């Protein structure tokens, strides 16, 4: 019987540790406990030259993509899929704010972004900032990017090609990868809206 008591004591200590570890999250809801820690506050400049933060998008669903305007293939494909998904949603798209955050702030000025987003969708917002502001936003979204020299003596940006769907409270809902087209995005938005 001695060993049974010992086992119970060990179990009690283990439980106490488990509760202590969970304690910081006790006040948040279950969904938040399970959701990956993606997104959060940012300070950037939009394609009209206006300083914006996360607060400017509060209350709307966001589709967040990090890319750059001289990307030859991956970014335009993603932006086309977003634009098509918004068109498929019709009036409901009014609750969705798609944003392209550049990972190439050196070249992607507000003016360059303004030309670029106009090619895709009237609701699309281009965001840029100082290299530090962009790096902070990318860190918040766990996005990787790096400058890669090209043969022409120029450079391209290597970057994660993930599209994030964020809720009106700014919390992560889900993400899409490069293989997901307009149909998948529109279906997920219909479910979330
Ligand atoms: Ni790209």
């Amino acid at each position: 019987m001695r060993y049974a008591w010992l086992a119970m004591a060990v179990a009690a200590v283990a439980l106490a540790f488990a509760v202590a570890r969970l304690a910081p999250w006790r006040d948040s809801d279950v969904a938040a406990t399970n959701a990956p820690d993606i997104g959060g506050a940012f300070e950037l400049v939009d394609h009209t030259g206006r300083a914006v933060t996360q607060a400017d998008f509060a209350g709307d669903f966001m589709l967040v993509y990090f890319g750059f305007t001289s990307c030859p293939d991956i970014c335009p494909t993603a932006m086309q899929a977003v634009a098509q998904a918004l068109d498929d949603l019709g009036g409901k798209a009014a609750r969705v704010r798609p944003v392209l955050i550049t990972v190439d702030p050196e070249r992607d000025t507000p003016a360059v972004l303004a030309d670029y987003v106009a090619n895709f969708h009237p609701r699309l917002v281009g965001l840029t900032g100082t290299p530090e502001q962009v790096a902070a936003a990318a860190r918040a979204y766990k996005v990787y990017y790096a400058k890669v020299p090209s043969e022409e003596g120029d450079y391209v940006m290597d970057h994660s090609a993930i599209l994030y769907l964020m809720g009106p409270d700014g919390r992560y809902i889900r993400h899409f990868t490069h293989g997901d087209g307009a149909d998948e995005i529109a279906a997920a938005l219909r479910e979330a809206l």
Side-chain angles (χ1 to χ4, degrees):
M1 288 310 279
R2 240 188 316 175
Y3 292 110
W5 283 109
L6 183 62
M8 281 177 69
V10 168
V13 169
L15 182 65
F17 270 106
V19 169
R21 284 193 55 194
L22 287 172
W25 290 280
R26 250 187 334 204
D27 292 335
S28 45
D29 63 35
V30 174
T33 308
N34 295 331
D37 180 23
I38 288 172
F42 58 75
E43 288 180 32
L44 294 163
V45 176
D46 75 7
H47 65 266
T48 69
R50 191 173 66 106
V52 295
T53 70
Q54 171 69 29
D56 291 290
F57 299 89
D60 285 331
F61 288 83
M62 285 179 88
L63 284 169
V64 180
Y65 188 86
F66 286 76
F68 65 114
T69 66
S70 38
C71 179
D73 176 36
I74 305 288
C75 293
T77 304
M79 292 302 100
Q80 264 159 20
V82 166
Q84 184 62 53
L86 292 181
D87 286 345
D88 291 351
L89 279 178
K92 281 185 166 180
R95 293 182 61 201
V96 184
R97 308 280 294 279
V99 305
L100 168 69
I101 302 178
T102 184
V103 293
D104 185 13
E106 269 179 57
R107 293 185 294 201
D108 288 342
T109 61
V112 170
L113 281 170
D115 280 345
Y116 188 79
V117 297
N119 290 326
F120 292 98
H121 200 275
R123 292 192 64 73
L124 182 59
V125 176
L127 298 178
T128 185
T130 65
E132 292 76 20
Q133 287 175 324
V134 167
R139 267 198 307 278
Y141 280 85
K142 311 279 196 282
V143 163
Y144 155 86
Y145 65 97
K147 196 183 272 194
V148 180
S150 64
E151 284 172 16
E152 299 81 38
D154 211 350
Y155 68 89
V156 294
M157 300 302 296
D158 192 12
H159 66 94
S160 316
I162 298 171
L163 176 70
Y164 294 103
L165 174 59
M166 309 298 288
D169 55 3
R171 284 199 188 140
Y172 169 92
I173 295 177
R174 61 163 290 173
H175 66 270
F176 308 90
T177 56
H178 190 57
D180 294 324
D183 290 350
E184 281 93 342
I185 298 167
L189 286 171
R190 268 190 209 99
E191 202 185 309
L193 286 167

